[in-house]
Structures are given as structure tokens and as C-alpha cells.
Amino acid sequence: MKKNTFYIICGFIAIALVLLFILSINLSNPFIIAGAIVVAGILFFICRHKVTDVIMDERQMFIGMKTAAATIKTAIILFLTLNIAIVVYVFSGPLGFHNFRMERPVLPEFPQGAMESVSFFPVPPDTIPISQLGMFAIGEIILFIVILFVYVGFRYYYSRKYGGEEEDEE
């Protein structure tokens, strides 16, 4: 298989993943996209091994390694910052740890007064603000897109620094 055919197949795989992501959201089933990502990764590596053209030379691999290392360092800082900010935001609201009184019907198996007050236990699920959890997911998606742009920026920087955009005449 030629290199351009491989890139076209990767594009179709990416389009299929986007469609399966939308289907997964509509059906509220995360297993669809999780399984699709695993299958897409396997298809990617199978197709990559069938490419007969040279995809990367030593210089391009070096640039890729430098880019990946810089992107991972940046991503760790960005993810940590966003996640700590979201944790502080969510736990400062009604999701935090509080003392509360557990209301339950009186059952003959449990005598009156048993386990009525439980301390250091999370608030019951009916008081968790689901909209804030949705903001967490949107924040993670935005952060993922920012990291893609960071990767492209580092790739451009290291390509210019080490001459990766020039073609070899050898």
C-alpha cells in the first residue's frame, strides 16, 4: 500500500470515529466509542505495517520524539491545572463532604435510630449538580483540542529547528 492510501484510510477511520462518538452520545452508551477506539488503533497499526513507502526517516523520527516529549510535558501541566481547578470548583459547592441526615423509611429489619447520622459521607446523588459535571467534560474536550494545537506548534518549531521540512536529495 502506498503512503497516500494509508493517509486516506486514516481519514476514513477518523470520520468513522466521529460518527461513532455522536452515536455513543445519542445512545448514552460509552462502550461504543471505547470499543471503536480500540478497533481503530488496531486497524491503524495493521495498515501502517502494510505501507511500502518510507513514512519516516531518522530525522523525522527524532523530530517526532522531541515533539512528543515536549507535548507530554505541557499536557501534564495543563491537565493538572484544569483538573485541580475543577475539583476546587466542584467541592466548594454542594458536592463537598458534609454531615447529613440520611432519610429512609422505617423498616422492621433496622431498629429506629440505627445509622441515622453518618458523618464524612458524600451528599446523596439527588443533590449533585449534573450541569457542573457536564462542564468538566466540556473542559476536558477543550483542553484536548488545545493540546492538539500545542503538538502542531511544537512539531512546527522542531521541524524548523532541525530542518525536517526539507526533502533529502540522497
Side-chain angles (χ1 to χ4, degrees):
M1 161 186 337
K2 297 288 184 191
K3 186 169 50 170
N4 288 339
T5 306
F6 169 71
Y7 292 141
I8 290 171
I9 291 172
C10 286
F12 284 132
I13 289 173
I15 291 170
L17 283 175
V18 169
L19 294 175
L20 287 171
F21 177 70
I22 293 169
L23 177 69
S24 181
I25 290 173
N26 288 337
L27 297 178
S28 298
N29 188 350
F31 299 112
I32 295 172
I33 190 64
I37 289 173
V38 170
V39 170
I42 293 170
L43 283 174
F44 172 79
F45 285 112
I46 289 173
C47 289
R48 184 169 172 114
H49 286 295
K50 297 202 182 271
V51 174
T52 56
D53 296 345
V54 175
I55 293 179
M56 291 183 127
D57 60 0
E58 291 83 13
R59 183 182 57 212
Q60 289 173 335
M61 288 189 343
F62 177 73
I63 291 170
M65 287 188 301
K66 296 286 274 186
T67 302
T71 303
I72 288 173
K73 291 173 188 173
T74 306
I76 288 171
I77 293 169
L78 290 175
F79 272 115
L80 180 67
T81 303
L82 178 73
N83 289 328
I84 292 296
I86 289 175
V87 164
V88 168
Y89 176 72
V90 170
F91 278 113
S92 66
L95 182 64
F97 292 97
H98 305 284
N99 290 334
F100 72 96
R101 192 165 173 83
M102 188 185 312
E103 300 294 330
R104 62 175 169 78
V106 177
L107 300 172
E109 298 89 27
F110 299 106
Q112 187 67 24
M115 301 278 296
E116 288 297 322
S117 179
V118 179
S119 60
F120 300 104
F121 195 82
V123 176
D126 58 344
T127 61
I128 295 175
I130 300 299
S131 63
Q132 292 179 358
L133 296 176
M135 287 175 28
F136 174 75
I138 291 171
E140 292 289 328
I141 291 171
I142 290 170
L143 187 60
F144 180 71
I145 293 169
V146 167
I147 288 174
L148 287 176
F149 281 110
V150 167
Y151 175 82
V152 169
F154 278 129
R155 183 74 183 196
Y156 179 75
Y157 170 75
Y158 285 118
S159 291
R160 291 188 48 95
K161 183 175 181 180
Y162 297 111
E165 60 206 33
E166 303 161 354
E167 294 293 326
D168 281 338
E169 299 295 328
E170 300 177 40

